Amino acid sequence: MSEGREREREKERGMLEELVAGGAEGLVLLQDSVSCEGHTLLKSFVAASARRLFIHDGFRDPLGWTGARGGLTVGDFSAPQLVLRFSQAAQGPATLVLDSLSWLLLRLPFPSVCQVLAQLPKKANTAGVRIRTLVALLHGDLHPPEQLKALHSLARVVVTLKQGDGSPRVAVTLHRKRRNKVVQKKEYFTVLSGFALKHLGEPSPAAVSGEEVIQKDDASAVADPTANLTFNLRLSEAERRAKESVPLPYQFSEEKKSSLLQGPTGQGKIYYEPDAADDIDDEDPDDDLDV
């Protein structure tokens, strides 16, 4: 299939639909937040791979306190242990779904989790098990930016979920394909009953280009806090000159400057610096008194 025809097909179905249908290999991160959940999208991946579905329960006894057989504990999250589980059940290419990766990151050292994600496909392949896709739900607002950046570098696909202006949700997908080709797409979607994914279109080219410019500017500069205000915080050139010409209240007169620079004379002096609001009348000095 030609590259142009492939792009047209992706546009008709949507990149997200292609990924759910099995159009990606390697680690697929679904990054959601408290404002836009990604659990239903994760179930769309599960539903698409449900023909050969084996569930390892890691919630009933996650710390191994009860000693229940067949459970998956936090200590079992290692490449050898996971490969052992898969070799007993998987037949043919497997899709591994982690619900959720954040739960593991909050209980295990971050470097060890990254090592498992990087080593698992190779270890499984050595044992005769092919893990084609590893889909992991990541709650982005639970982890610091440096950890998110490290996880993104491990992933082949990163889907960042956002809440749109209306009811449809927004998926910003970054797909690192072979031969160092990177494709980024923003699209609207919804999840129907039965966890079927429905593509709802893409933003207009003008909106997409505008967003890319904003993201580029944000990466190299800090946002202007004075933008989009209802009042003006900046001075014109004439206003600036007028402001600079106003004497400051702590500036001394020439007489006081000269006296301070002279040596002590043994006599005290009183200096009075009138304020701008003072109303001095030599004829009636008590005119401001109400008597």
Side-chain angles (χ1 to χ4, degrees), residues 23-29 94-96 117 121 130-136 154-157 175 178:
E25 296 184 2
L27 176 60
V28 178
L29 285 180
T95 297
L96 172 63
L117 295 177
R130 183 191 174 195
I131 299 179
R132 186 176 185 274
T133 309
L134 198 166
V135 185
L154 292 175
R156 181 68 65 86
V157 179
H175 191 179
R178 300 187 181 277

Side-chain angles (χ1 to χ4, degrees), residues 105-179:
L105 290 171
L106 295 176
R107 289 161 176 82
L108 295 173
F110 181 77
S112 65
V113 175
C114 292
Q115 290 176 359
V116 172
L117 295 177
Q119 298 174 359
L120 184 57
K122 296 179 180 179
K123 295 283 187 181
N125 189 50
T126 303
V129 179
R130 183 191 174 195
I131 299 179
R132 186 176 185 274
T133 309
L134 198 166
V135 185
L137 181 62
L138 179 66
H139 306 311
D141 42 9
L142 294 183
H143 310 285
E146 57 270 17
Q147 290 189 359
L148 296 178
K149 185 177 180 180
L151 292 170
H152 290 184
S153 65
L154 292 175
R156 181 68 65 86
V157 179
V158 179
V159 181
T160 304
L161 303 180
K162 301 179 181 179
Q163 190 63 44
D165 297 334
S167 57
R169 286 180 289 174
V170 180
V172 181
T173 304
L174 180 66
H175 191 179
R176 296 183 180 92
K177 297 187 176 183
R178 300 187 181 277
R179 300 179 182 178

Side-chain angles (χ1 to χ4, degrees), residues 83-102:
V83 169
L84 179 62
R85 298 293 184 100
F86 300 150
S87 61
Q88 296 173 353
Q91 299 177 359
T95 297
L96 172 63
V97 180
L98 293 178
D99 182 14
S100 69
L101 183 60
S102 294

Side-chain angles (χ1 to χ4, degrees), residues 46-63:
V46 173
S49 306
R51 292 182 178 179
R52 292 186 301 271
L53 183 60
F54 298 91
I55 299 176
H56 295 277
D57 188 0
F59 289 92
R60 184 175 304 173
D61 188 21
L63 301 180

Side-chain angles (χ1 to χ4, degrees), residues 5-112:
R5 178 55 184 164
E6 182 180 354
R7 283 199 298 266
E8 287 295 328
R9 187 166 177 264
E10 286 184 358
K11 188 173 181 181
E12 292 173 0
R13 295 188 60 182
M15 179 181 289
L16 203 55
E17 285 184 316
E18 293 285 344
L19 296 177
V20 171
E25 296 184 2
L27 176 60
V28 178
L29 285 180
L30 306 182
Q31 180 173 320
D32 67 353
S33 64
V34 68
S35 62
C36 186
E37 62 86 21
H39 202 253
T40 52
L41 180 60
L42 182 73
K43 289 183 178 180
S44 295
F45 280 87
V46 173
S49 306
R51 292 182 178 179
R52 292 186 301 271
L53 183 60
F54 298 91
I55 299 176
H56 295 277
D57 188 0
F59 289 92
R60 184 175 304 173
D61 188 21
L63 301 180
W65 289 352
T66 64
R69 298 183 59 183
L72 187 67
T73 65
V74 176
D76 293 329
F77 188 75
S78 64
Q81 286 291 334
L82 293 176
V83 169
L84 179 62
R85 298 293 184 100
F86 300 150
S87 61
Q88 296 173 353
Q91 299 177 359
T95 297
L96 172 63
V97 180
L98 293 178
D99 182 14
S100 69
L101 183 60
S102 294
W103 191 90
L104 294 168
L105 290 171
L106 295 176
R107 289 161 176 82
L108 295 173
F110 181 77
S112 65

